[in-house]
């Protein structure tokens, strides 16, 4: 893996740790994460019109990824409700010992890695993915979190978007297995 790609993945890891810390410490993790998804979706919906439309082959990956991400974010919020940040992130477990979140995250990352390779412009895939998460984010009640602490939600939402967007971009230019191995849980 090139030094630039390593730096990209490490920067994404720092952003990932930051938004997860905000989600855990921001009151209700479910509302925080849902609000972050709404920030991400809003920003993406504003920008998606300037990105090329993904080809037909990308849409099944995008749809699968939105569904898988919705499950992942819900299980992450549940884990944060019952466990310390260091415990949840290192053990990658769901409450009551169910090791569910890590396989869901890997499934989403693989779907996105395969999906981003079907497009010529990785930003197109990234923006359409995050725009597609608007409805699931709203269904999780993210607007309550937006009202409570707008600055925290804006920072967390943009950090989460940038973190995973960088990972998807890295998978479009480098070996997917190495990028996934360097991605935090």
């Amino acid at each position: 893996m090139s030094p630039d790609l390593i730096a990209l993945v490490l920067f994404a890891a720092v952003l990932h740790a930051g938004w997860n810390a905000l989600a855990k410490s921001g009151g209700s993790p479910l509302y925080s994460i849902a609000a972050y998804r709404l920030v991400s979706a809003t920003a993406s919906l504003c920008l998606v019109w300037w990105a090329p439309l993904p080809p037909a082959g990308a849409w099944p990956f995008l749809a699968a990824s939105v569904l898988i991400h919705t499950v992942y974010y819900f299980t992450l919020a549940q884990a944060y409700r019952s466990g310390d940040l260091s415990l949840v992130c290192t053990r990658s477990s769901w409450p009551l010992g169910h090791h569910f979140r890590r396989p869901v995250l890997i499934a989403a990352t693989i779907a996105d890695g395969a999906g981003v390779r079907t497009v010529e412009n990785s930003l197109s895939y990234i923006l359409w993915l995050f725009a597609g998460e608007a409805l699931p984010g709203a269904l999780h009640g993210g607007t309550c979190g937006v009202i409570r602490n707008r600055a925290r939600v804006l920072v967390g939402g943009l950090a989460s978007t940038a973190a995973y967007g960088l990972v998807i971009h890295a998978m479009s230019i480098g070996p997917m297995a190495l990028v996934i191995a360097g991605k935090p849980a």
Side-chain angles (χ1 to χ4, degrees), residues 17-120:
W19 83 259
N20 275 271
L22 286 172
K24 172 64 177 162
S25 65
S28 168
L30 183 62
Y31 286 136
S32 294
I33 292 170
Y36 297 167
R37 302 314 331 131
L38 286 176
V39 167
S40 175
T42 301
S44 296
L45 285 169
C46 291
L47 298 173
V48 76
W49 308 110
W50 286 277
L53 190 65
W59 289 102
F61 293 107
L62 287 164
S65 189
V66 167
L67 178 63
I68 296 167
H69 283 204
T70 301
V71 171
Y72 169 73
Y73 292 127
F74 180 76
T75 59
L76 178 64
Q78 296 306 314
Y80 281 159
R81 285 181 34 182
S82 65
D84 185 67
L85 180 66
S86 61
L87 176 68
V88 170
C89 283
T90 57
R91 289 185 57 214
S92 299
S93 62
W94 199 35
L96 309 169
H98 292 101
H99 297 280
F100 182 68
R101 194 172 57 83
R102 182 74 172 164
V104 171
L105 178 63
I106 291 171
T109 308
I110 291 171
D112 290 328
V116 75
R117 290 167 186 253
T118 66
V119 299
E120 290 183 29

